[in-house]
Amino acid sequence: MNARTMSLRGRSKGRQAANSSAMDAAARWGFAARGVIYLLIGLLALQIAFGGGGKQADRGGALAEIGEKPMGSFVLWALGIGLVGMCLWRLSEALFGAAGPDGHKTSTRLLSAGRFLFYGFVAYSVLTFAAGDKGGSSGDEQSQDVTAKAMELPAGQWLVGAAGIGILSAGLWIGVRAAKRSYHKHLKLGQMSRGAERYIDVTGVGGGLARGLLFAALGWFVVKAAVDYEPDKAKGFDATLRSFTDTPAGPWLLVLVALGLVLFGMFSFGMARYRKV
C-alpha cells in the first residue's frame, strides 16, 4: 500500500467521522452550551442595567453564576465538553467542508478554521474554570493586558489598530447577516413548523443585532486604545456593556442589548435543534 492510498483512506475515514452521528451530536451540544453562556451574560447585563451590577457580565461572570448553583460543577464540565464538540465540528468543516452548496468554498473553510480557534479558546477557558482555575483577573483586565503586550511589539500600535478594525468589522458583519436572516440557508426549514420559524427569526434577528453591536463596540474601544496609545481604553464584554449606559439612551440601551443577548442564547438553542450539520 503506497503513501497516496493511505492518504486517501485517511481522508475517507476523516470525512466519515465528520459526517457521523457523533459529530452531529457534538455540534448540537456545542450550540446548546453557547446558548447557556449567552443567556446568562444577557441576564447579568440586565441586572447591571437595573442597578444590581455586582457581577461581571461576561463569560467569567456567567461561569461563576453557574458554579454557585447546586450541580454547578457538573454543568460547567458539560458546557466545556459541549464547546469542545463545537470546536471539533468547526475543525471538520475546515478540513472536509461544511454542509450546503457553499460548504467547500475556500472562504467558508477559512471561516470555519477561525471559528475552530475561537471555540477552542472558549472551551479551554470553560474547562479550566470547571477544573478550579477561576482566573486571577477579569475579562476587562485581560483585554487591557493583551492590548498592552501587543503594543510593545514592533508596529504594535498598528497591529492593535488592525485587530480592533477586524473585531469592529466582524460585529457589523454579524449584525448585517442577522438582519438579512442569512442563517436560513443553514436550517432544516422543511422540518420546521411555522411557530419554529417565527421563534428562530425573532431570536436570530434580535440576538444577532445585539451581538453584532456588542462586538462592534468592543472593536471600537480597541481601535481607540491603539489611536490614543492607551491600552487601558480596551474593554472586555463587561466594561463594553456597562459603557452603553453612558450614551444618551442611558441604561435603556443596555437593557435592549442585554435582552438581545438573551435572545441570542435562545437562538442558539433553536440552532441546536434545527441547524444542518
Side-chain angles (χ1 to χ4, degrees):
M1 184 183 299
N2 58 35
R4 177 178 173 79
T5 301
M6 292 178 66
S7 176
L8 290 173
R9 287 191 176 183
R11 290 184 181 182
S12 177
K13 289 183 179 179
R15 289 192 180 92
Q16 289 176 7
N19 296 324
S20 68
S21 58
M23 188 62 73
D24 181 277
R28 299 189 191 287
W29 192 349
F31 276 113
R34 186 184 73 175
V36 171
I37 292 173
Y38 269 98
L39 181 66
L40 287 175
I41 292 174
L43 292 174
L44 289 170
L46 279 175
Q47 291 180 15
I48 292 171
F50 291 110
K55 293 187 178 179
Q56 298 284 311
D58 55 16
R59 184 170 59 250
L63 297 178
E65 185 77 8
I66 293 169
E68 294 172 359
K69 300 294 186 290
M71 300 290 290
S73 179
F74 171 80
V75 175
L76 288 172
W77 281 107
L79 291 177
I81 294 169
L83 290 166
V84 169
M86 173 73 85
C87 178
L88 293 175
W89 172 56
R90 291 302 189 185
L91 177 61
S92 73
E93 285 190 327
L95 294 175
F96 306 110
D102 299 330
H104 291 276
K105 286 185 175 180
T106 301
S107 58
T108 302
R109 295 172 77 156
L110 287 174
L111 183 60
S112 292
R115 286 169 169 164
F116 158 70
L117 295 174
F118 173 77
Y119 283 111
F121 169 76
V122 175
Y124 173 79
S125 67
V126 174
L127 289 172
T128 54
F129 192 98
D133 182 0
K134 310 305 181 186
S137 58
S138 68
D140 298 317
E141 292 171 335
Q142 290 172 8
S143 296
Q144 293 166 3
D145 290 343
V146 169
T147 303
K149 290 177 181 178
M151 283 188 176
E152 294 174 358
L153 299 172
Q157 190 174 7
W158 290 99
L159 291 173
V160 171
I165 292 172
I167 297 170
L168 194 157
S169 300
L172 295 176
W173 179 74
I174 289 169
V176 169
R177 282 174 59 84
K180 293 171 65 176
R181 298 187 295 179
S182 298
Y183 51 79
H184 271 207
K185 64 183 178 182
H186 299 300
L187 294 171
K188 300 176 179 179
L189 293 172
Q191 300 179 18
M192 297 172 64
S193 66
R194 183 164 298 181
E197 285 189 42
R198 191 177 299 115
Y199 170 91
I200 288 290
D201 281 339
V202 169
T203 58
V205 174
L209 288 174
R211 185 169 176 248
L213 177 59
L214 176 56
F215 274 92
L218 276 168
W220 165 254
F221 285 121
V222 173
V223 171
K224 189 168 179 59
V227 171
D228 297 341
Y229 206 79
E230 295 183 33
D232 288 349
K233 289 188 176 180
K235 300 181 186 294
F237 264 38
D238 180 74
T240 300
L241 286 167
R242 291 175 191 268
S243 72
F244 290 137
T245 62
D246 298 328
T247 64
W252 295 109
L253 178 57
L254 176 55
V255 169
L256 288 176
V257 175
L259 288 174
L261 295 178
V262 170
L263 287 177
F264 187 77
M266 297 169 65
F267 172 72
S268 294
F269 298 146
M271 293 296 275
R273 171 66 177 84
Y274 295 110
R275 179 64 153 81
K276 295 176 184 175
V277 177

